[in-house]
Amino acid sequence: MAELEIKGLTVAVEGKQILAGLDLAVAKGETHALMGPNGSGKSTLAYAIMGHPAYQITGGQVLLKGTDVTELTPDERARMGLFLAMQYPTEIPGVSLTNFLRTAVNATSETDMPVRQFMVALRRHMADFQMDEKFLSRNVNEGFSGGEKKRFEILQMAMLAPEIAVLDETDSGLDVDALKIVSEGVNRLRGPDLGVLIITHYTRILRYVRPDYVHVMFEGRLVQSGGPGLAEELEEKGYEHLRP
Ligand SMILES: Nc1ncnc2c1ncn2[C@@H]1O[C@H](COP(=O)(O)OP(=O)(O)O)[C@@H](O)[C@H]1O
Ligand SMILES: [Mg+2]
């Protein structure tokens, strides 16, 4: 059984159907890439997996470790080991990065992590992501550059140690150096206990984070799945020839 299973999923936003029956399974230890042109429904899928209230599931199922989570809140899903790095991370004025992460870590684990242990882990991961310690007291995403926001998303992932991580366009807006830092971060976290779904428009990140499987989405459906070679083919030919 894959830890994340999506079965015949249909999703509507503001009454308009966006996902039109999508099947996908991501097991721990696997890295999947989901690619597709702008507007094909990639972020809609990410939000539906996480349980964003604006994305209405009109049919099908999202299963986490065999449990249908379609009625569960995002918090409950996070406690089950799900993590979403958002395409457009939001600013949280008045909440420091440290307090935000501490609350998130404690909310998703059985017991509170001792402060010292939390700070040691946080500082270690920040050093890995080449984030200056001055960020510890900065408000979440407030005045962060695009690259800093994306690095913070992966820092959250490192601190929360999820079992399934969905990364929505974590590569977008990154220069090559930042892309390498973020990719190395993802690669460090990869392993037998983590399943990753990398959502991307471009093949660029897939040169650094090699996926085991590649899927192509078009108008709310998967139109092709394959191995890593599929990403290279898309790089050459683009998406149009796969339009159904
Ligand atoms: N919150 C929303 N409100 C209205 N329309 C939305 C919303 N989110 C997505 N859509 C629409 O759903 C379609 C798919 O969007 P999206 O999932 O963001 O695609 P992608 O991430 O592949 O670029 C688009 O037509 C988009 O306008
Ligand atoms: Mg998107």
Side-chain angles (χ1 to χ4, degrees), residues 85-123:
M86 286 191 291
Q87 181 171 2
Y88 303 109
T90 42
E91 296 181 9
I92 313 182
V95 178
S96 74
L97 180 148
T98 306
N99 282 335
F100 175 83
L101 284 176
R102 185 148 167 72
T103 306
V105 166
N106 289 340
T108 51
S109 48
E110 304 271 300
T111 51
D112 285 7
M113 192 188 278
V115 179
R116 276 181 63 116
Q117 189 190 337
F118 168 82
M119 289 310 298
V120 167
L122 179 53
R123 287 205 158 90

Side-chain angles (χ1 to χ4, degrees), residues 42-43 87 168-169:
K42 302 184 298 297
S43 292
Q87 181 171 2
D168 191 5
E169 309 255 357

Side-chain angles (χ1 to χ4, degrees), residues 208-224:
Y208 301 101
V209 185
R210 292 285 292 175
D212 305 302
Y213 305 94
V214 176
H215 312 275
V216 185
M217 189 165 178
F218 234 114
E219 294 169 354
R221 280 194 181 83
L222 292 193
V223 294
Q224 200 170 359

Side-chain angles (χ1 to χ4, degrees), residues 10-15 43-58 69-75 77 84 86:
T10 61
V11 173
V13 186
E14 292 179 356
S43 292
T44 298
L45 174 65
Y47 282 129
I49 292 172
M50 202 62 218
H52 190 301
Y55 296 78
Q56 200 198 344
I57 295 180
T58 52
V69 297
T70 40
E71 300 293 326
L72 299 189
T73 62
D75 287 42
R77 297 180 202 207
L84 169 66
M86 286 191 291

